[in-house]
Amino acid sequence: PLLPSTKHMINNDVLDKCKKGVRIINCARGGIIDEDALLENLNSGKVACAALDVFEKEPPATDSPLLQHPNLIATPHLGASTAEAQTRVAKEIAEQFLALRDGISTFGCLNAPLLRSALGEPSKADLARKLGMLLYVLEPSASVISVAGDDNKFVPYAVL
Protein backbone atom coordinates (compact mmCIF):
# COMPACT_ATOMS: atom_id res chain seq x y z
CA PRO A 1 0.00 0.00 0.00
CA LEU A 2 1.01 3.60 -0.39
CA LEU A 3 2.19 4.71 3.03
CA PRO A 4 4.69 7.35 4.06
CA SER A 5 7.24 4.52 4.27
CA THR A 6 6.49 3.28 0.73
CA LYS A 7 6.01 6.63 -1.05
CA HIS A 8 8.77 7.07 -3.66
CA MET A 9 10.35 3.84 -2.49
CA ILE A 10 11.88 3.60 -5.97
CA ASN A 11 13.73 6.89 -6.32
CA ASN A 12 17.04 8.28 -7.61
CA ASP A 13 18.98 6.74 -4.72
CA VAL A 14 17.64 3.27 -5.52
CA LEU A 15 17.99 3.68 -9.28
CA ASP A 16 21.62 4.87 -8.86
CA LYS A 17 22.39 1.43 -7.37
CA CYS A 18 20.85 -0.44 -10.32
CA LYS A 19 22.73 -1.68 -13.36
CA LYS A 20 22.39 0.34 -16.54
CA GLY A 21 19.48 -1.02 -18.57
CA VAL A 22 17.30 -1.97 -15.61
CA ARG A 23 13.64 -2.58 -16.43
CA ILE A 24 10.94 -1.36 -14.07
CA ILE A 25 7.42 -2.78 -13.76
CA ASN A 26 4.88 -1.37 -11.32
CA CYS A 27 1.41 -2.86 -11.13
CA ALA A 28 1.17 -2.55 -7.35
CA ARG A 29 0.40 0.97 -6.21
CA GLY A 30 0.80 4.45 -7.65
CA GLY A 31 3.27 6.61 -5.79
CA ILE A 32 5.79 3.94 -4.82
CA ILE A 33 7.87 5.05 -7.80
CA ASP A 34 9.10 8.63 -7.92
CA GLU A 35 7.86 9.39 -11.44
CA ASP A 36 10.22 12.37 -11.87
CA ALA A 37 13.17 10.11 -11.02
CA LEU A 38 11.87 7.42 -13.37
CA LEU A 39 11.56 9.91 -16.24
CA GLU A 40 15.05 11.26 -15.55
CA ASN A 41 16.49 7.74 -15.61
CA LEU A 42 14.53 6.75 -18.73
CA ASN A 43 15.95 9.82 -20.48
CA SER A 44 19.51 9.00 -19.41
CA GLY A 45 19.21 5.33 -20.42
CA LYS A 46 19.86 4.06 -16.90
CA VAL A 47 16.33 2.60 -17.04
CA ALA A 48 15.94 0.82 -20.37
CA CYS A 49 12.17 0.70 -20.19
CA ALA A 50 9.29 0.77 -17.76
CA ALA A 51 5.78 -0.61 -17.66
CA LEU A 52 3.21 0.97 -15.36
CA ASP A 53 -0.48 0.48 -14.78
CA VAL A 54 -0.63 2.69 -11.69
CA PHE A 55 0.47 6.29 -11.30
CA GLU A 56 0.95 8.90 -8.58
CA LYS A 57 -2.03 10.83 -9.94
CA GLU A 58 -4.92 8.81 -11.36
CA PRO A 59 -5.64 9.18 -14.14
CA PRO A 60 -2.31 10.56 -15.31
CA ALA A 61 -2.33 13.66 -17.50
CA THR A 62 -2.32 12.66 -21.16
CA ASP A 63 0.34 15.27 -21.90
CA SER A 64 2.65 13.92 -19.18
CA PRO A 65 6.26 13.65 -20.41
CA LEU A 66 6.45 10.26 -18.70
CA LEU A 67 3.43 8.94 -20.63
CA GLN A 68 4.89 10.30 -23.86
CA HIS A 69 8.25 8.57 -23.35
CA PRO A 70 8.89 5.97 -26.07
CA ASN A 71 10.32 3.47 -23.57
CA LEU A 72 7.30 3.49 -21.27
CA ILE A 73 4.36 1.14 -21.60
CA ALA A 74 1.29 2.43 -19.79
CA THR A 75 -1.82 0.32 -19.37
CA PRO A 76 -4.99 0.70 -17.32
CA HIS A 77 -5.00 -0.94 -13.91
CA LEU A 78 -7.31 -3.94 -14.38
CA GLY A 79 -6.48 -6.08 -11.38
CA ALA A 80 -10.11 -6.66 -10.45
CA SER A 81 -11.44 -7.01 -13.98
CA THR A 82 -11.08 -10.75 -14.44
CA ALA A 83 -14.14 -12.97 -14.25
CA GLU A 84 -12.66 -14.68 -11.19
CA ALA A 85 -12.06 -11.38 -9.40
CA GLN A 86 -15.57 -10.13 -10.17
CA THR A 87 -17.07 -13.37 -8.85
CA ARG A 88 -14.98 -13.16 -5.68
CA VAL A 89 -15.99 -9.53 -5.10
CA ALA A 90 -19.67 -10.37 -5.67
CA LYS A 91 -19.48 -13.19 -3.12
CA GLU A 92 -17.71 -10.97 -0.59
CA ILE A 93 -20.35 -8.26 -0.99
CA ALA A 94 -23.15 -10.82 -0.63
CA GLU A 95 -21.52 -12.16 2.55
CA GLN A 96 -21.23 -8.61 3.90
CA PHE A 97 -24.93 -7.98 3.19
CA LEU A 98 -25.86 -11.20 5.00
CA ALA A 99 -23.66 -10.28 7.97
CA LEU A 100 -25.30 -6.86 8.09
CA ARG A 101 -28.77 -8.39 7.86
CA ASP A 102 -28.00 -10.84 10.67
CA GLY A 103 -26.52 -8.11 12.87
CA ILE A 104 -23.12 -9.84 12.90
CA SER A 105 -20.99 -7.18 11.28
CA THR A 106 -21.04 -3.88 9.44
CA PHE A 107 -17.66 -4.56 7.82
CA GLY A 108 -17.44 -2.77 4.49
CA CYS A 109 -20.07 -0.14 5.36
CA LEU A 110 -18.62 3.35 5.23
CA ASN A 111 -21.63 4.83 6.97
CA ALA A 112 -22.29 1.93 9.35
CA PRO A 113 -23.71 3.94 12.31
CA LEU A 114 -26.18 5.75 10.06
CA LEU A 115 -27.06 2.52 8.26
CA ARG A 116 -27.63 0.64 11.52
CA SER A 117 -30.05 3.28 12.77
CA ALA A 118 -31.86 3.55 9.43
CA LEU A 119 -32.40 -0.20 9.02
CA GLY A 120 -34.99 -1.12 11.57
CA GLU A 121 -36.21 -4.73 11.52
CA PRO A 122 -39.21 -4.11 9.21
CA SER A 123 -37.15 -2.21 6.63
CA LYS A 124 -34.27 -4.73 6.44
CA ALA A 125 -36.32 -7.36 4.65
CA ASP A 126 -37.90 -4.76 2.37
CA LEU A 127 -34.52 -3.27 1.45
CA ALA A 128 -33.03 -6.72 0.87
CA ARG A 129 -36.00 -7.70 -1.30
CA LYS A 130 -35.67 -4.55 -3.41
CA LEU A 131 -31.89 -4.88 -3.77
CA GLY A 132 -32.20 -8.53 -4.73
CA MET A 133 -34.86 -7.76 -7.32
CA LEU A 134 -32.79 -4.92 -8.76
CA LEU A 135 -29.68 -7.08 -8.96
CA TYR A 136 -31.66 -9.91 -10.55
CA VAL A 137 -33.01 -7.53 -13.20
CA LEU A 138 -29.50 -6.29 -13.92
CA GLU A 139 -28.09 -9.83 -14.20
CA PRO A 140 -30.89 -12.35 -14.96
CA SER A 141 -28.47 -15.25 -15.37
CA ALA A 142 -27.14 -14.82 -11.83
CA SER A 143 -27.93 -17.13 -8.95
CA VAL A 144 -30.18 -15.69 -6.26
CA ILE A 145 -29.75 -16.49 -2.59
CA SER A 146 -33.25 -16.34 -1.19
CA VAL A 147 -34.99 -16.97 2.09
CA ALA A 148 -38.49 -16.46 3.37
CA GLY A 149 -38.85 -13.29 5.41
CA ASP A 150 -40.84 -12.98 8.59
CA ASP A 151 -43.90 -12.41 6.44
CA ASN A 152 -43.12 -15.59 4.39
CA LYS A 153 -42.58 -13.53 1.25
CA PHE A 154 -39.79 -14.41 -1.18
CA VAL A 155 -36.77 -12.30 -0.20
CA PRO A 156 -33.85 -12.33 -2.67
CA TYR A 157 -30.95 -11.19 -0.49
CA ALA A 158 -28.07 -11.27 -2.91
CA VAL A 159 -27.08 -12.07 -6.45
CA LEU A 160 -23.87 -13.97 -7.14
Side-chain angles (χ1 to χ4, degrees), residues 98-106 124:
L98 294 173
L100 175 65
R101 175 203 69 194
D102 297 338
I104 297 169
S105 170
T106 55
K124 274 187 191 177

Side-chain angles (χ1 to χ4, degrees), residues 145-159:
I145 297 172
S146 61
V147 298
D150 293 337
D151 54 4
N152 288 323
K153 289 183 180 175
F154 169 71
V155 182
Y157 280 105
V159 176

Side-chain angles (χ1 to χ4, degrees), residues 65-119:
L66 182 61
L67 278 182
Q68 304 302 319
H69 199 283
N71 293 342
L72 177 84
I73 298 171
T75 62
H77 186 65
L78 299 173
S81 294
T82 65
E84 295 85 0
Q86 292 296 308
T87 299
R88 189 184 78 245
V89 168
K91 286 180 180 178
E92 287 175 5
I93 290 170
E95 289 169 355
Q96 289 173 6
F97 268 109
L98 294 173
L100 175 65
R101 175 203 69 194
D102 297 338
I104 297 169
S105 170
T106 55
F107 179 78
C109 295
L110 297 179
N111 58 348
L114 178 62
L115 188 59
R116 267 191 241 113
S117 66
L119 292 178

Side-chain angles (χ1 to χ4, degrees), residues 20-55:
K20 183 174 177 157
V22 66
R23 287 150 173 81
I24 305 288
I25 298 172
N26 183 16
C27 54
R29 185 75 66 218
I32 64 172
I33 294 179
D34 178 343
E35 292 178 6
D36 292 334
L38 177 60
L39 179 60
E40 181 183 319
N41 282 275
L42 279 166
N43 287 333
S44 73
K46 177 74 175 217
V47 173
C49 60
L52 308 175
D53 77 343
V54 289
F55 299 89

